[in-house]
Amino acid sequence: MPGLIRGVARTAVVAGTATAVSNRVTRRQQGRWAAQQRYEAPPPQPAYQAEPPAAPAGPDMTNKIEQLKQLGELKNQGVLTEAEFEEQKRTILGS
């Protein structure tokens, strides 16, 4: 009987060790595969959201743009100083 118990015990130890090693190998492989997938697959890009279209230039905006262009020309010609140009620009833009 003692030989039989020893044989069963040895078989249990070998089987338990084999199971533990197999489980450890499986976990390591799964960890490596998960890490590899993280590096291979690029992160999802956020959906592109276009900027809202600018409000169409109404007659009032077109008029302001023309006035600013004229002021810029007067400044470039030396008729207006920088301070006068800034003052007129603030007046036109209303700020």
Side-chain angles (χ1 to χ4, degrees), residues 65-85:
I65 292 172
E66 289 300 319
Q67 288 177 343
L68 289 172
K69 285 180 183 179
Q70 289 173 356
L71 276 178
E73 290 173 7
L74 290 173
K75 180 183 162 217
N76 289 340
Q77 294 172 0
V79 176
L80 293 176
T81 64
E82 183 68 31
E84 293 170 331
F85 173 75

Side-chain angles (χ1 to χ4, degrees), residues 48-56:
Y48 175 74
Q49 294 182 358
E51 294 181 20

Side-chain angles (χ1 to χ4, degrees), residues 22-35:
S22 174
N23 288 341
R24 183 170 183 225
V25 168
T26 301
R27 281 193 306 270
R28 287 179 67 192
Q29 284 178 341
Q30 288 175 345
R32 286 180 182 166
W33 291 336

